[in-house]
Amino acid sequence: MDTTCISPIKDCPRYQELRVLYDISLALRESALGIETAFEKTLQLLKKHFYMDKSIYYGLNDEQNELYVFSSIGLSRQQELLCTYKIGEGATGMAAEFKEPVVIENVHHNTLFLNKSRSLKKSEISYLAIPALSHHQLLGVLGVSLTQQSLDNFEELITILSITASWLAQSKQMHQTIIDEKKRLKEEKLYYKEEILSPHEILGHSASIQTVLEMIHKVAQTDSTIFISGETGTGKELIAKALHNCSLRKEKPYIKLNCAAIPENLLESELFGHEKGAFTDAKEMRKGRFELADEGTLFLDEVGDLSLNLQAKLLRVLQEQEFERLGGVKTIKVNVRIVAATNRNLKEMVRDGRFREDLFYRLNVIPIFSPPLRDRGDDIIVLARHFLEHFCRRHGKERLLTSDAEAMLKAYAWPGNIRELENSMERIVLLAPSLHVDSHVILSVLPAKNEVTNKEVETKADLEDLERQTIIKVLRECGGVKLKAAKKLGMSNRQIGYKIQKFDIGIGDYLE
């Protein structure tokens, strides 16, 4: 009976090997807290127990297709910087390429041992490069320099190093997953931080808004691209959010981008992200909205403002669900549901050559029309009461609309749609002198006072003429200052500019 491994047990070679594996597992268990320290401890244990001259873990840079020193024992920092290997280059690169251990028996006379660190010693005899795999995926290479004392049980050594390399790969992968998840949450928080969530859901009982709600419930749980059209301020973003909330992606990110609000030179980076150094101010890698919206919904507002160049790039993403970051070469695949919106006439833009026809049809899979407020009848009163209650709570006041006030609100054309109504209700809450808000208060808040009640609107042309005259009147009152007039009308500066262009309003119409 062979008793060599029975007494004492601690002197048994197998016990020592298991003991070092146990110690390595303890070191790597804490890798989530400090992976650099964990790897150093692991490499130190290998070097000490197996009498190695050097032990190195090479990380994989996927984009550069090369290996770099992530952690080492026995190399200086300067030597670490010298040790980069392309996949397939030297023994280390070959281990990565073929995903098999590579053994260099005599490092002093074998050209596969490149000695890039310029640190070869006489005591070093052999070199082992072991691929670090996790679920058959290459994440790095474990490289060790062996001395005469390391070679007592070579086959056992390769087995232990293979186990260790696999553990190192899994620890690195787990650590990177934690970093990526933290970064994703941080970036999502950045975008959500400035998002002002609407204080209401889609309200109203009119036939036009019920049509919208029915369409939302029909298509929300599909992955089809949705195209929302309608005038500025009609609630297109609210429809997009409702589509997301009713979809199977509701627990995933909802990311939005107003294509008209970002300068052309920055828009590509906002959409697709950029790599560090991609342009002058790119201090670090940043994900774009497509990456942030992965598995969720991306709402592209004012998509009609995209340049033809960006339209082509957007089309590719819609077709292939993949793209490259600005300044990058790595193809990134995403699974994103697109909801697009615009207040422009894209069919007319296609005819004029200002919008790609193929992109239009790619976006216009399921069209939803967001109706103007003037076509929603009693919904105007429902929304007015809702906004009034909301702003009363916000500002600690109490206000009630009289019947004549509600009749006047319903008669007004609302060129700025729901956004104008919302802004008007806040002004009423702040400016009304008493509890009851009557027609006199409404007249003091709404623009184009006389035109609101005196002119009858029977056709679309009448309606547009009323809207044009309203804008001209307010511009006159504001001395031609568009920003001031836009604020009074409940519009943005860009929106009033669009209306001025649409109705061909010249300076002579409002300034003498």
Side-chain angles (χ1 to χ4, degrees):
M1 179 179 178
D2 185 3
T3 60
T4 54
C5 288
I6 294 178
S7 179
I9 192 168
K10 290 186 179 181
D11 293 332
C12 175
R14 179 56 56 86
Y15 170 83
Q16 294 297 331
E17 291 160 0
L18 291 174
R19 179 69 201 187
V20 75
L21 285 174
Y22 174 73
D23 290 342
I24 287 170
S25 71
L26 291 179
L28 291 176
R29 192 169 65 181
E30 301 177 1
S31 62
L33 300 175
I35 193 167
E36 290 85 1
T37 302
F39 272 48
E40 284 179 14
K41 284 182 180 179
T42 298
L43 297 177
Q44 186 65 55
L45 284 166
L46 291 175
K47 182 176 184 296
K48 179 181 177 182
H49 186 81
F50 296 107
Y51 307 103
M52 297 171 179
D53 190 87
K54 291 185 282 288
S55 53
I56 306 165
Y57 181 82
Y58 295 92
L60 175 65
N61 185 332
D62 235 345
E63 294 184 6
Q64 301 295 328
N65 198 38
E66 69 178 16
L67 300 159
Y68 65 96
V69 177
F70 178 77
S71 182
S72 74
I73 298 296
L75 292 181
S76 67
R77 179 57 184 153
Q78 186 61 37
Q79 288 168 336
E80 286 181 348
L81 294 174
L82 294 172
C83 287
T84 58
Y85 295 91
K86 293 290 183 184
I87 302 300
E89 182 184 15
T92 306
M94 286 177 63
E97 182 178 16
F98 298 109
K99 296 182 182 178
E100 294 285 345
V102 173
V103 181
I104 304 296
E105 293 184 358
N106 189 335
V107 293
H108 295 280
H109 297 93
N110 194 316
T111 55
L112 282 178
F113 185 76
L114 301 182
N115 190 27
K116 282 194 173 185
S117 66
R118 302 291 186 266
S119 62
L120 183 61
K121 299 176 184 176
K122 288 183 179 180
S123 57
E124 296 177 51
I125 296 174
S126 303
Y127 177 76
L128 275 179
I130 310 288
L133 305 172
S134 177
H135 304 291
H136 305 292
Q137 179 187 354
L138 179 75
L139 294 176
V141 171
L142 174 62
V144 296
S145 296
L146 307 179
T147 63
Q148 187 63 49
Q149 289 176 286
S150 311
L151 303 176
D152 290 345
N153 196 331
F154 195 69
E155 294 299 324
E156 292 286 348
L157 177 60
I158 291 180
T159 300
I160 290 172
L161 290 177
S162 296
I163 293 170
T164 303
S166 176
W167 287 355
L168 288 166
Q170 291 171 32
S171 296
K172 185 76 164 61
Q173 190 174 46
M174 186 187 307
H175 182 72
Q176 190 60 48
T177 299
I178 292 170
I179 290 175
D180 291 345
E181 185 64 14
K182 284 181 177 178
K183 190 168 185 179
R184 183 186 68 80
L185 291 172
K186 183 179 178 182
E187 289 174 331
E188 278 187 19
K189 186 178 177 182
L190 264 175
Y191 288 112
Y192 285 126
K193 189 176 180 182
E194 297 180 357
E195 181 179 346
I196 303 173
L197 297 177
S198 175
H200 63 282
E201 296 179 353
I202 298 176
L203 301 177
H205 308 288
S206 64
S208 58
I209 205 64
Q210 288 303 311
T211 300
V212 171
L213 291 172
E214 288 171 12
M215 182 63 80
I216 288 172
H217 288 294
K218 280 181 182 177
V219 304
Q221 297 200 8
T222 72
D223 283 333
S224 299
T225 301
I226 309 293
F227 181 68
I228 308 169
S229 60
E231 296 176 12
T232 297
T234 55
K236 296 188 290 294
E237 183 177 340
L238 205 59
I239 294 172
K241 191 65 186 287
L243 284 162
H244 175 75
N245 289 341
C246 295
S247 74
L248 300 175
R249 299 169 181 257
K250 62 184 177 182
E251 302 300 327
K252 300 297 183 180
Y254 169 75
I255 303 296
K256 62 183 184 180
L257 177 66
N258 188 324
C259 301
I262 298 172
E264 167 73 19
N265 60 325
L266 299 178
L267 194 51
E268 183 175 357
S269 173
E270 285 293 329
L271 281 168
F272 309 118
H274 61 252
E275 297 291 349
K276 181 179 179 181
F279 48 88
T280 305
D281 294 326
K283 305 299 183 186
E284 59 182 6
M285 186 278 286
R286 186 183 179 192
K287 292 181 180 180
R289 307 292 172 105
F290 269 98
E291 270 185 276
L292 291 172
D294 192 24
E295 303 293 334
T297 303
L298 176 60
F299 174 50
L300 296 175
D301 199 7
E302 306 297 356
V303 72
D305 286 50
L306 288 174
S307 68
L308 288 169
N309 178 47
L310 279 177
Q311 289 175 32
K313 294 183 178 181
L314 176 60
L315 178 64
R316 183 212 165 186
V317 180
L318 294 179
Q319 290 174 329
E320 308 294 338
Q321 290 276 293
E322 64 182 33
F323 59 93
E324 292 82 37
R325 295 192 198 109
L326 196 63
V329 294
K330 181 181 178 182
T331 299
I332 298 165
K333 291 186 175 290
V334 289
N335 176 7
V336 176
R337 202 263 183 92
I338 298 294
V339 179
T342 187
N343 61 3
R344 296 191 176 207
N345 187 333
L346 288 194
K347 287 184 179 178
E348 185 178 297
M349 291 180 68
V350 168
R351 286 196 298 270
D352 295 342
R354 291 178 291 137
F355 201 87
R356 292 180 64 108
E357 185 176 21
D358 46 6
L359 178 58
F360 171 72
Y361 288 116
R362 178 66 66 172
L363 291 173
N364 198 38
V365 177
I366 298 178
I368 296 178
F369 176 67
S370 183
L373 188 56
R374 60 182 173 270
D375 292 345
R376 292 179 56 180
D378 288 337
D379 286 356
I380 294 172
I381 308 307
V382 172
L383 289 164
R385 290 172 180 171
H386 172 78
F387 287 130
L388 194 73
E389 182 183 346
H390 169 72
F391 289 118
C392 281
R393 286 198 306 270
R394 175 183 287 184
H395 298 296
K397 295 180 180 291
E398 191 175 358
R399 298 285 185 265
L400 295 172
L401 292 169
T402 63
S403 58
D404 64 323
E406 290 186 344
M408 186 167 288
L409 289 172
K410 189 175 175 181
Y412 180 54
W414 297 109
N417 290 295
I418 298 171
R419 189 175 293 123
E420 183 185 3
L421 175 61
E422 184 176 7
N423 292 341
S424 297
M425 289 302 105
E426 184 169 19
R427 288 199 296 273
I428 285 169
V429 168
L430 294 172
L431 301 177
S434 60
L435 170 65
H436 294 285
V437 178
D438 58 19
S439 58
H440 296 290
V441 177
I442 301 298
L443 282 170
S444 70
V445 171
L446 293 180
K449 304 180 184 75
N450 296 330
E451 292 86 343
V452 171
T453 54
N454 293 344
K455 183 166 182 174
E456 291 186 4
V457 177
E458 296 179 350
T459 67
K460 184 178 179 182
D462 291 337
L463 192 62
E464 290 188 344
D465 184 61
L466 176 58
E467 188 176 355
R468 183 178 189 275
Q469 294 305 320
T470 299
I471 293 171
I472 289 172
K473 184 177 184 299
V474 176
L475 282 167
R476 283 175 184 164
E477 291 173 356
C478 297
V481 180
K482 293 178 185 177
L483 191 60
K484 189 175 178 181
K487 189 174 181 181
K488 194 169 183 179
L489 286 165
M491 299 179 178
S492 69
N493 193 38
R494 186 186 59 78
Q495 289 160 359
I496 197 172
Y498 168 77
K499 295 288 185 182
I500 288 170
Q501 184 179 8
K502 177 182 176 181
F503 295 126
D504 194 26
I505 299 172
I507 295 176
D509 291 319
Y510 55 87
L511 290 180
E512 297 180 359

